[in-house]
Amino acid sequence: GASRKKKPTKDLYVPLHKDGEESILIDVTEWLMAFSSSALSVSDFLQPFRSGGPKEGIAHLMETCAFPENFWLRFSARSSRESTFKAGSSNTVYYTVAFCRLPEELMVPRAKDRRVGYFETKTTIGGSERVNETINVINRWNLKRFGHVTYYIDPQVPTLFHETIRRGVESWNIAFAAAGCGDGVLRCLSPSDPAFPKDYCRGDARYNAIYMTDSTLPVYGFGPSLTDFRTGEILVSHVLLGFSAFAQGASRHSVEALSERYVRPTCGCRAPLLDASHPDVLKTVLSVTVHEVGHTLGLRHNFIAQEDGNTSAMAYVDEL
């Protein structure tokens, strides 16, 4: 366990050891434990952390994992009502705190423009002869640094979807080429590709992973990214795709799903589902992949396009 007694605030971040001018060891235990307050969403759970930090036995360090460019720590936290940690208990939550190495050379930030739907990062700019001010900059990849962005299909993604996912990722190259960025800016590798890294591991910030959720989660997908808080540069991003949601979504409005072939196996106990290889299912996988990759490129939703009679990959597809 990593629980500690509360320290005076002024002593929390005093260096424990200093080796020369570049290496400093600081005890950040209390700071890491404090993240549990945001992980606990029920008011009863928040009470133990409102006094300025976790109390004895509230949070435990469960697991650590390190990679060349990043590392993360996984914690469990419980309500003061529980005397022990119980896996799956409603009074126990789990959270992860991740750290990633920042680029030594800063990307030139670009101020946000309300007419273009980018995610934003709030940063402070200033200098020796300029008053500091807070501005919002857009989140974007630094193509001058990388030249291209590669996505890696996680080995646990069914091979049935690999080619469809690849098409979804690389379809964005049409837009990059039109913007004058050249060809092949986005690449997608599957485990069967010779260039797929042998040391690939989910959670390694060197690799933009595409993977699927637990089949019980009714989600189509997410497209989270990690950015440099100083410039808005996207450092790593992932595409999280649903599993059963694709078949369920395509089957919900399919007349073919009501045929005897699909209805008979259900015995009237559940809604009929199309096969995972059905064209309608693969079409859903394709559209969701394109949409979520757009988020990993820094783009927000663009629902106004539909209102103007246009189409956008960043709007939700009409299932009908």
Side-chain angles (χ1 to χ4, degrees), residues 93 118 230 317:
V93 297
Y118 277 92
R230 303 167 298 179
V317 177

Side-chain angles (χ1 to χ4, degrees), residues 107-114 116-123 135-141 227-228 231-234 297-299:
M107 179 187 74
V108 177
R110 180 176 296 174
K112 76 165 186 177
D113 187 327
R114 292 181 57 190
V116 184
Y118 277 92
F119 288 114
E120 306 163 7
T121 294
K122 182 176 292 186
T123 188
I135 65 170
N136 289 332
V137 297
I138 65 173
N139 296 351
R140 61 192 178 105
W141 285 94
T227 60
D228 186 339
T231 63
E233 177 182 354
I234 299 176
L297 298 176
L299 296 174

Side-chain angles (χ1 to χ4, degrees), residues 124-144:
T124 301
I125 61 174
S128 58
E129 299 181 358
R130 179 177 178 179
V131 177
N132 289 350
E133 62 175 320
T134 300
I135 65 170
N136 289 332
V137 297
I138 65 173
N139 296 351
R140 61 192 178 105
W141 285 94
N142 185 0
L143 295 181
K144 292 183 179 180

